[in-house]
Amino acid sequence: MGTLEPDFRGTFHITIIGGGLAGLVAAIALAKSGYKVTILERDGELREWGAGIQIPSNCAKVLRQIGILDQVRARSTQPRTHSVLSYKSGATLSKQDMIPMIEMVFGAPHLVIHRAVFQRVLVEQVETLSAINIQLGAIIDPVLSDFAQGSICFSVDGSESKAVTTDLIIGADGERSMCREILLGRPDPPKLSGYVAYRSLIEGSRILEAPETSIHGLVNDPGVNVWQGPESHAVSYMLDGMLNLVLFKPSASNNGGASSLKPELVGGEELRSQFVEWEPRIQALLKLVTDCIKWEILETEELKEWVHPNGHFVLLGDSAHAMLPFLSQGAAMALESASFLCNLLSKATSPMQIAPLLQIWNKQRELRVRKVVEGSKTMGRFWHSPNMAGLPEASRPKNVLADPQFQMWLLGYDVGEDAQKAWEVFQNPSLSS
């Protein structure tokens, strides 16, 4: 399937648009495979918005494959349990031990980490790889650029635009993606999902000083806790001495209310007014919140094609498949896709193989991602049912995470093994039958 050209990777230039988690992971894996990589990042610094992020087992395997799981694990929290709680009474509805069972069953740990810390680990790794060049403050001109031909025109800090030619463009610029619109040839902004979230970080020391001793265990016995209420739910877990608390509810924007497509800082009183009937531990935590980040959860239309027909331009991560957060798999799917792509490209022996490998990657990844997108929507309906107890069993939204087969398919997945199978079929198509 191609004549070996041992030096082609060192001169094959890949440009990644976007310096988020997916872009950085792709850059690291590609550079370690011998490719020359440039990251173009619009912001003047590499930064991650938000607070906590869950790294499930399937995502942890990606980090292991690129050699940074130990570094990430050292700066993460490993939850001991996963509990589902009643919003009204606080009673435990279900509880799963996570240590050591998660790693034993699925082959890697489940971690939680601050996004900024996660990104810092990735940047530290990037800085050790001379094949990666990062250009910050890069403003791309989509009119003068021709991504289909590998041409990018951009300026930095108001300087005169310059055009560069690259062999492959990877668009990893998130859910508000310019690259997505370039691939589609039309505007395609993300859409309101119907959910809004409030996120707050509360210092663990303040929780332990609070007179309500019932909340002390959230710090002393760290776990992932999920409170399920009517049309709403809340999630908490510890992050480096801080409690990450996120509360989800229906968005007023679906009923004609004002909406903000960008996160906004709101006072704690707004948050408290939305959850007045929730159990004493939630009330005690909300008393400690002075302000929080409120944002509309966005989603994008599903794309089946992530690769331009010319084979010089692809979409990666949220730019291709932004999804609801209710399976905690958005970042995991982006990193899986990055790893699968880089696994295939690491095996290429000729630049002539790149375009067909991109098509194989698209086909294989789209099938898995589509199922996860649908699972996330299903879990959104489960967590936000208006009256779960009052619904007949047959009418209740399904908790897909309670299905052992789905759990193993999702969390037991090894992207390296899947990419290796795809490569073997590429070399010998008869294996696909």
Side-chain angles (χ1 to χ4, degrees):
M1 294 295 295
T3 303
L4 179 64
E5 298 181 29
D7 297 326
F8 98 88
R9 293 182 204 165
T11 57
F12 192 94
H13 187 195
I14 299 176
T15 299
I16 300 172
I17 298 176
L21 301 179
L24 292 171
V25 166
I28 291 166
L30 289 167
K32 288 186 173 182
S33 298
Y35 288 97
K36 178 183 176 184
V37 182
T38 295
I39 299 173
L40 297 181
E41 168 55 44
R42 181 183 181 90
D43 286 344
E45 60 179 327
L46 289 175
R47 58 184 176 182
E48 271 290 325
W49 176 83
I53 181 172
Q54 298 195 49
I55 302 176
S57 299
N58 54 310
C59 186
K61 291 174 190 173
V62 172
L63 304 180
R64 179 187 289 152
Q65 288 171 14
I66 65 171
I68 62 167
L69 178 58
D70 289 343
Q71 295 95 309
V72 172
R73 191 171 191 165
R75 302 193 203 182
S76 303
T77 299
Q78 191 168 356
R80 298 175 185 172
T81 57
H82 183 284
S83 301
V84 178
L85 311 167
S86 165
Y87 86 102
K88 193 75 170 176
S89 67
T92 301
L93 304 177
S94 66
K95 188 171 184 178
Q96 177 184 13
D97 290 328
M98 301 183 76
I99 301 176
M101 293 305 297
I102 292 293
E103 194 159 3
M104 288 174 58
V105 173
F106 301 119
H110 184 109
L111 307 172
V112 294
I113 191 172
H114 196 291
R115 281 180 173 270
V117 175
F118 190 9
Q119 186 181 59
R120 198 173 306 134
V121 175
L122 296 175
V123 171
E124 289 169 359
Q125 184 70 17
V126 164
E127 290 172 344
T128 68
L129 299 168
S130 60
I132 301 176
N133 173 53
I134 301 179
Q135 178 65 71
L136 300 176
I139 307 300
I140 295 171
D141 187 330
V143 176
L144 297 179
S145 299
D146 186 355
F147 282 19
Q149 301 301 323
S151 175
I152 306 172
C153 185
F154 68 96
S155 61
V156 178
D157 297 330
S159 63
E160 184 177 351
S161 294
K162 62 179 179 180
V164 298
T165 301
T166 187
D167 296 294
L168 176 63
I169 298 172
I170 299 177
D173 55 341
E175 62 187 4
R176 297 178 178 87
S177 172
M178 173 198 68
C179 294
R180 177 187 176 97
E181 295 187 341
I182 291 174
L183 182 70
L184 291 173
R186 57 176 171 80
D188 189 45
K191 297 173 176 58
L192 295 169
S193 68
Y195 301 104
V196 66
Y198 296 84
R199 185 193 300 274
S200 180
L201 283 174
I202 308 171
E203 293 180 3
S205 59
R206 293 184 63 215
I207 295 174
L208 294 175
E209 291 168 359
E212 297 89 350
T213 57
S214 61
I215 60 176
H216 295 180
L218 299 175
V219 176
N220 294 327
D221 188 19
V224 175
N225 299 290
V226 184
W227 286 263
Q228 186 174 14
E231 297 188 302
S232 305
H233 86 289
V235 182
S236 79
Y237 49 81
M238 289 298 295
L239 288 174
D240 195 23
M242 309 278 285
L243 185 77
N244 185 60
L245 177 65
V246 189
L247 300 102
F248 299 88
K249 64 182 294 293
S251 170
S253 62
N254 275 5
N255 299 314
S259 68
S260 171
L261 289 181
K262 292 186 178 180
E264 58 179 326
L265 189 68
V266 300
E269 189 55 43
E270 177 176 337
L271 178 57
R272 287 186 283 274
S273 70
Q274 303 289 334
F275 297 90
V276 292
E277 296 184 355
W278 287 50
E279 66 123 326
R281 281 179 295 180
I282 292 292
Q283 301 306 316
L285 290 173
L286 295 185
K287 283 170 59 177
L288 300 175
V289 175
T290 54
D291 51 45
C292 61
I293 300 295
K294 174 185 177 182
W295 81 100
E296 299 281 350
I297 305 297
L298 304 178
E299 59 183 344
T300 56
E301 295 294 333
E302 182 181 342
L303 288 185
K304 294 200 68 166
E305 302 298 331
W306 308 344
V307 179
H308 191 279
N310 283 10
H312 293 295
F313 172 36
V314 303
L315 298 180
L316 177 66
D318 281 353
S319 63
H321 48 72
M323 64 186 67
L324 298 178
F326 304 127
L327 275 178
S328 300
Q329 284 285 332
M333 288 300 104
L335 268 57
E336 274 189 10
S337 292
S339 178
F340 197 114
L341 175 62
C342 299
N343 264 278
L344 287 180
L345 296 189
S346 73
K347 296 172 172 58
T349 57
S350 163
M352 299 299 293
Q353 294 179 334
I354 300 296
L357 287 174
L358 295 178
Q359 293 297 332
I360 291 171
W361 166 75
N362 188 159
K363 181 180 178 181
Q364 294 294 315
R365 287 302 303 163
E366 193 274 333
L367 291 171
R368 177 168 167 85
V369 167
R370 188 194 322 157
K371 188 172 180 178
V372 175
V373 167
E374 288 305 313
S376 298
K377 291 179 179 179
T378 300
M379 285 305 296
R381 292 189 290 270
F382 172 78
W383 290 126
H384 301 102
S385 173
N387 182 18
M388 183 73 79
L391 291 174
E393 185 71 31
S395 302
R396 293 179 185 178
K398 184 179 180 182
N399 179 1
V400 295
L401 286 176
D403 180 347
Q405 287 186 321
F406 183 82
Q407 272 194 357
M408 183 57 70
W409 175 85
L410 180 66
L411 303 175
Y413 177 80
D414 189 308
V415 68
E417 292 180 359
D418 209 17
Q420 177 61 32
K421 291 176 184 176
W423 171 252
E424 290 171 359
V425 171
F426 173 69
Q427 289 185 302
N428 184 1
S430 66
L431 296 175
S432 63
S433 57

